[in-house]
Amino acid sequence: MFKKILIANRGEIACRVMRSAQKMGIATVAVYSDADARSPHVEMADESVHLGPPPAAESYLLADKIIQAAKDTGADAIHPGYGFLSERESFAKACAEAGIAFIGPPANAIAAMGDKIESKKLAREAGVNTVPGSEGAIDTTEDALTSANAIGYPVMMKASAGGGGKGMRLAWNDKDVEEGFEATKREGLASFGDDRVFIEKFIEQPRHIEIQILGDQQGNIVYLGERECSIQRRHQKVVEEAPSPFVSPEMRKRMGEQAVALARAVGYYSAGTVELIVSGSDTTGEGFYFLEMNTRLQVEHPVTEYITGVDLVEQMIRVAAGEPLPFTQDDVTLTGWAMESRVYAEDPYRGFLPSIGRLVRYNPPETNANVRVDDGVAEGGEVSMFYDPMIAKLITYGDTRIAAIDRMVDALGRFEIAGLGHNIDFLSALMQHERFRSGEITTNFIAEEYPDGFEGAPASEELLQRLAAIAGFVATAHADRNLLIDGQLGTKRQPPAEWQVRIGDDLFDVAMSEDEVTVNGTSTGLSMAYAPGDRMVEAEFGDDALVVSIAPVRAGFRFNTLGASHDLRVLPAHAARHARHMIEKIPPDTSKLLLCPMPGLLVSLHVGEGDAIEPGQPLATVEAMKMENILRAEKAGTIAKINAGEGDSLAVDEVILELE
């Protein structure tokens, strides 16, 4: 067995690998860029080695420097995690040449399966169903148009070396191809150093299901069930679960056996994932097609670990050391249900725009046998523009799917993040959505259910009444504390016993007494403890419990619970009647400004001063989190002034241009 492992990665996956290595008594070495000098994965490791500046091309993608770090620290193995160098054939070969074990599959398997174009050919030869598409890479926009029309719209343009939702664009017509083909090539080159693009048929109403395989160097290969990964946004997975609510035991067996046959055809060992696109309307269980094989550990591997009891990282290490798998296919059993939510640094209330900055507050929920948090950040740390926007993975387990979902809702409600935008509200709303809970999902779920963007989970009348009761309780506690302030002028007044709470357009009359809290004359049965300054409370209403985050705002509070934020104006009943005389603040008019919606790099300007523009016309392209975002005109007009230049780093809401 290895004595020391270098983890050629960062963030949560580096910490994840270290936990298994430490459990096995193996020393660990971290590598880091300038941006990660004080990151948790560096502190967690036994040793650490500096690589270079923040850009991945100058740090985490420097294979020679990483191998030298392994030599210098005496590491006899390297685990690549996922992303970066994990699927580079050249890196696996370089490790072998240096006499260092690569904790992953053999280089020839990476080469065979890592290239989407070549892997489709191999899959067809192995008898695996494949999606209709171009036979090879497409070089020009003209060729892309020819291929797309031959296949038939809609089609997906994909970077051959792509992954993680990057380098992918959906085209419904020729215009989409004309606008998106070159951008897809650029994203592939920027993220993966490879600008080859291929095109394949886009299957409507699809489900994204993947098979986890695990093999050893003795030729044993098993499949560990499937994961449902259909909840995606811009082809980036958001929620994953295992098993899938759609897959029957017979279908699982067919998928698993095909995945194993494909892996065996390329001499595969270690952990790997065969991704399939599945027709949700095909009840025969035969409508699944090979998409790609990820020759590495997947982000969503924890849900498989939960239902199988297999530590995938530990098995990867043991396989790399030459040990055989300790079990066979007959030993694999699936128990219970696991759910994973990816907590991203993005603002769902502003079109899911990336958000970067410092984690002023980071307090994940408590972990136990049914709640797991995989992260690589800490309070006070920074989410950088140079890397993936994922903050953490929250995983829950239950005996049934609904139990796992409900546990996820509760855990999300206890997750506290401040300082930057995050998607916790959106994740909670997803978990509560009736269609999601029914299991009738496709990769179009988010686009179909949130066509106009996300505005928070809808609140029932009962929930609003409960929030009003909590607001009355909290306001009374603050009024009680105010009585203790010394040196006040005049006679101290007792705290009001009656309050008026406004939530949106709804008004609630809240009355407090020693025995109960009533809302609009009806007892709520509220029981809770609160002291001014508490950021989170757990309120009980009979047998129901409600976790609410509390932040004071002008004339009231902002409550966050069950996937939405609510601004509550809370006034003493005797003062509430004067509220109608208050002048409403009107926000400034920004309709003639193109504002940068996220921190990022201005890649290109598509217009100049004096140009006439039409609605929908591209105005500028901003790159953030390794993704290009095209900003379009919302109305017709004329460009009056350009305020930023190509290559500029822009802050959120910085003015790019002005209209007349």
Side-chain angles (χ1 to χ4, degrees):
M1 181 49 65
F2 307 120
K3 291 181 171 57
K4 186 182 292 186
I5 295 175
L6 182 146
I7 295 88
N9 218 296
R10 63 179 297 279
E12 63 89 12
I13 186 56
C15 294
R16 166 68 189 93
V17 174
M18 288 177 193
R19 281 194 293 273
S20 283
Q22 290 171 354
K23 180 181 69 175
M24 299 170 69
I26 302 172
T28 57
V29 180
V31 291
Y32 64 93
S33 69
D34 291 341
D36 288 334
R38 288 177 290 277
S39 293
H41 81 279
V42 177
E43 298 179 5
M44 187 175 180
D46 297 295
E47 300 174 66
S48 59
V49 178
H50 176 251
L51 292 176
E58 300 175 46
S59 53
Y60 295 106
L61 291 175
L62 297 177
D64 292 345
K65 203 162 187 178
I66 289 172
I67 289 175
Q68 188 59 51
K71 291 179 179 179
D72 292 343
T73 57
D76 46 356
I78 293 178
H79 195 302
Y82 45 69
F84 296 140
L85 298 171
S86 63
E87 293 180 283
R88 298 273 181 98
E89 174 197 10
S90 59
F91 184 60
K93 284 184 175 179
C95 288
E97 291 170 0
I100 299 170
F102 178 74
I103 303 177
N108 66 290
I110 296 176
M113 291 289 98
D115 186 308
K116 290 184 174 65
I117 294 172
E118 293 302 317
S119 66
K120 285 184 69 176
K121 295 179 181 177
L122 285 167
R124 281 195 292 269
E125 291 171 2
V128 180
N129 291 342
T130 58
V131 180
S134 60
E135 289 296 321
I138 306 294
D139 296 322
T140 67
T141 300
E142 290 72 24
D143 290 341
L145 287 167
T146 300
S147 181
N149 280 279
I151 296 168
Y153 289 107
V155 298
M156 183 70 76
M157 297 177 287
K158 290 186 176 183
S160 180
K166 297 179 180 66
M168 299 173 65
R169 271 182 165 74
L170 178 61
W172 293 92
N173 48 48
D174 286 357
K175 183 180 178 183
D176 289 343
V177 173
E178 291 168 354
E179 289 187 0
F181 180 73
E182 289 299 328
T184 306
K185 287 174 71 72
R186 286 196 300 270
E187 283 184 6
L189 184 62
S191 296
F192 310 103
D194 186 342
D195 69 350
R196 291 178 303 151
V197 173
F198 71 100
I199 297 177
E200 67 182 16
K201 179 70 175 176
F202 179 72
I203 296 176
E204 298 181 73
Q205 297 301 314
R207 299 181 82 113
H208 185 123
I209 295 172
E210 59 190 33
I211 301 294
Q212 175 70 59
I213 65 163
L214 185 64
D216 61 27
Q217 298 187 50
Q218 288 73 27
N220 304 303
I221 306 176
V222 299
Y223 62 91
L224 301 175
E226 80 285 350
R227 295 185 288 258
E228 173 84 57
C229 306
S230 296
I231 302 299
Q232 304 178 7
R233 192 186 61 77
R234 292 184 65 176
H235 316 297
Q236 177 72 54
K237 298 167 187 174
V238 178
V239 171
E240 302 99 348
E241 60 182 293
S244 165
F246 180 74
V247 175
S248 65
E250 296 76 21
M251 187 178 184
R252 179 178 300 121
K253 187 173 186 292
R254 284 195 292 272
M255 288 178 166
E257 289 176 349
Q258 282 198 23
V260 168
L262 181 61
R264 197 176 301 282
V266 294
Y268 198 92
Y269 57 79
S270 191
T273 298
V274 175
E275 299 202 353
L276 305 167
I277 189 167
V278 181
S279 172
S281 61
D282 187 345
T283 57
T284 67
E286 299 288 349
F288 59 89
Y289 306 91
F290 172 78
L291 274 180
E292 61 180 317
M293 183 175 186
N294 290 303
T295 56
R296 54 170 169 80
L297 191 68
Q298 290 279 87
V299 175
E300 56 272 18
H301 73 273
V303 292
T304 296
E305 293 184 324
Y306 252 129
I307 66 167
T308 62
V310 176
D311 183 327
L312 287 171
V313 174
E314 177 182 346
Q315 292 306 317
M316 289 181 75
I317 295 171
R318 294 191 181 280
V319 166
E323 295 185 12
L325 293 180
F327 53 85
T328 66
Q329 190 65 59
D330 291 339
D331 298 321
V332 176
T333 57
L334 309 184
T335 305
W337 218 285
M339 196 76 49
E340 176 179 289
S341 292
R342 300 191 186 191
V343 179
Y344 283 124
E346 62 184 14
D347 189 348
Y349 294 100
R350 299 186 64 184
F352 297 92
L353 294 174
S355 179
I356 62 175
R358 193 163 301 282
L359 285 164
V360 176
R361 183 167 293 119
Y362 178 75
N363 186 25
E366 291 185 8
T367 59
N368 52 48
N370 297 315
V371 178
R372 169 175 164 179
V373 178
D374 281 15
D375 59 18
V377 299
E379 191 164 284
E382 189 171 353
V383 175
S384 166
M385 67 179 289
F386 297 103
Y387 310 119
D388 189 276
M390 190 167 65
I391 299 172
K393 299 183 307 197
L394 178 61
I395 310 101
T396 57
Y397 176 81
D399 293 336
T400 64
R401 185 171 185 268
I402 292 300
I405 291 173
D406 288 344
R407 197 160 273 142
M408 179 65 74
V409 173
D410 181 74
L412 287 166
R414 299 175 190 274
F415 212 132
E416 191 177 15
I417 297 176
L420 44 72
H422 57 79
N423 65 336
I424 288 177
D425 279 359
F426 181 64
L427 293 170
S428 182
L430 282 175
M431 293 293 144
Q432 299 171 69
H433 199 291
E434 285 305 315
R435 180 179 163 192
F436 175 78
R437 295 172 73 87
S438 74
E440 297 296 324
I441 55 178
T442 70
T443 56
N444 301 321
F445 177 89
I446 291 176
E448 291 171 352
E449 299 301 328
Y450 301 94
D452 300 320
F454 179 69
E455 298 178 353
S460 65
E461 179 65 23
E462 180 183 47
L463 176 59
L464 294 178
Q465 290 180 356
R466 290 180 171 182
L467 294 180
I470 294 171
F473 192 105
V474 170
T476 301
H478 279 262
D480 283 334
R481 184 191 62 175
N482 292 342
L483 287 177
L484 304 177
I485 299 175
D486 200 15
Q488 299 182 63
L489 296 176
T491 303
K492 292 183 180 181
R493 301 185 63 177
Q494 291 300 310
E498 297 180 352
W499 302 88
Q500 186 188 80
V501 178
R502 182 183 189 123
I503 310 177
D505 295 328
D506 297 316
L507 291 175
F508 300 93
D509 295 320
V510 181
M512 311 291 299
S513 70
E514 292 183 1
D515 300 325
E516 64 178 2
V517 179
T518 63
V519 175
N520 295 340
T522 301
S523 177
T524 60
L526 171 63
S527 174
M528 61 177 278
Y530 173 80
D534 288 350
R535 300 192 303 267
M536 187 175 291
V537 298
E538 183 167 352
E540 295 181 358
F541 296 89
D543 295 331
D544 297 336
L546 182 64
V547 177
V548 181
S549 296
I550 298 174
V553 295
R554 190 172 183 178
F557 306 94
R558 175 166 294 159
F559 286 178
N560 184 277
T561 188
L562 296 180
S565 291
H566 304 272
D567 286 327
L568 292 82
R569 188 197 70 188
V570 186
L571 298 174
H574 68 271
R577 63 179 180 271
H578 302 297
R580 67 180 184 274
H581 300 298
M582 298 297 291
I583 298 174
E584 185 176 354
K585 185 177 180 180
I586 300 175
D589 181 15
T590 60
S591 61
K592 294 185 177 182
L593 305 176
L594 177 66
L595 304 178
C596 186
M598 76 214 85
L601 180 72
L602 182 57
V603 176
S604 59
L605 281 166
H606 306 297
V607 293
E609 292 183 1
D611 288 356
I613 59 172
E614 297 296 328
Q617 180 178 337
L619 302 179
T621 299
V622 176
E623 180 183 315
M625 299 292 189
K626 298 187 277 189
M627 297 286 284
E628 290 189 3
N629 302 271
I630 299 175
L631 308 183
R632 301 178 184 274
E634 295 185 356
K635 61 181 181 180
T638 303
I639 306 298
K641 182 180 179 182
I642 302 291
N643 296 73
E646 293 181 356
D648 287 354
S649 292
L650 304 177
V652 64
D653 288 337
E654 188 168 339
V655 179
I656 298 175
L657 56 83
E658 301 176 23
L659 304 179
E660 290 182 355

